[in-house]
Amino acid sequence: MRCIMNDEAFVELYEKFFPRVYGMVFARLKDIYAADDVVSEIFMKVALNLDSHDEKFAFSTWLYTIARNTLTDYFRRKGRSREDSWDEFFEREAPVNEQPEEKLLASERTKDLLLALDKLNERQRRILELKYWAGFSNVEIAEVMNLSASNVGFIHFQAIKKLRELLAA
């Protein structure tokens, strides 16, 4: 096993990108233990393959590609579809002090949101995922998805508008 970067550099990269990568992986897996394993695998691949990073592209784009490919490999190994239900991720336990009526309303809103998200196209869902779970900026999303930042902004706007329409109906 070769190591091509010093410990300090790796720690710096890890601390900077871990929250985004972990958020993206957890959003897909909805399992803390599996997410821990996959994120560890992602950063091991980063450490071992840093010399293959093309300087023409942002490091975050390269890292996200490794993350996406590692997730794809994980789902293949597990025989699962990437498009699992959003229910588990959005399900939140209501604070103890909430009234039963409030819990019921929150549950209904969550179900409505999940149904609305399922009605978005794959590109809209992916942009929302990168924006809200991975914390990417429009520029970073554009690099990852091979779009312009303005196009990402427009698709994001369309997705939010469609969600509002679906939730208002």
Side-chain angles (χ1 to χ4, degrees):
M1 189 181 273
R2 63 192 167 112
C3 186
I4 45 96
M5 63 187 331
N6 69 40
D7 290 343
E8 288 178 26
F10 182 77
V11 167
E12 187 176 326
L13 288 172
Y14 183 85
E15 287 177 352
K16 180 176 181 177
F17 291 101
F18 175 82
R20 288 179 173 184
V21 171
Y22 189 86
M24 180 194 70
V25 170
F26 183 77
R28 288 287 178 104
L29 300 180
K30 302 162 190 89
D31 177 320
I32 195 168
Y33 301 109
D36 288 347
D37 290 344
V38 171
V39 170
S40 295
E41 186 178 344
I42 290 166
F43 279 100
M44 179 166 300
K45 289 177 180 179
V46 168
L48 295 174
N49 296 295
L50 192 61
D51 59 342
S52 70
H53 172 244
D54 187 344
E55 296 291 326
K56 291 186 279 184
F57 301 102
F59 180 80
S60 60
T61 302
W62 180 73
L63 175 61
Y64 177 77
T65 301
I66 291 173
R68 187 183 65 227
N69 291 341
T70 304
L71 274 169
T72 300
D73 292 343
Y74 172 83
F75 286 122
R76 281 189 193 127
R77 286 191 309 263
K78 296 295 181 186
R80 288 174 48 187
S81 168
R82 286 180 16 171
E83 295 301 322
D84 287 342
S85 169
W86 293 64
D87 292 335
E88 295 172 50
F89 184 74
F90 279 103
E91 197 64 40
R92 299 283 190 247
E93 189 173 314
V96 177
N97 62 348
E98 281 191 8
Q99 299 296 318
E101 298 85 13
E102 292 174 19
K103 288 182 183 180
L104 179 61
L105 288 173
S107 176
E108 288 176 9
R109 284 191 301 265
T110 298
K111 287 178 185 175
D112 290 344
L113 177 59
L114 294 173
L115 290 172
L117 285 168
D118 284 339
K119 293 179 181 174
L120 297 178
N121 65 46
E122 175 66 24
R123 187 165 60 168
Q124 290 172 328
R125 281 194 307 266
R126 191 160 174 217
I127 286 174
L128 292 178
E129 174 186 292
L130 291 171
K131 185 88 165 165
Y132 296 107
W133 284 276
F136 278 34
S137 69
N138 286 1
V139 172
E140 291 167 320
I141 295 168
E143 290 176 5
V144 167
M145 294 186 66
N146 198 27
L147 300 168
S148 68
S150 60
N151 197 9
V152 168
F154 181 71
I155 295 167
H156 176 258
F157 171 77
Q158 287 179 317
I160 296 298
K161 182 180 175 185
K162 186 170 182 177
L163 279 176
R164 285 186 180 138
E165 290 170 359
L166 291 167
L167 292 171

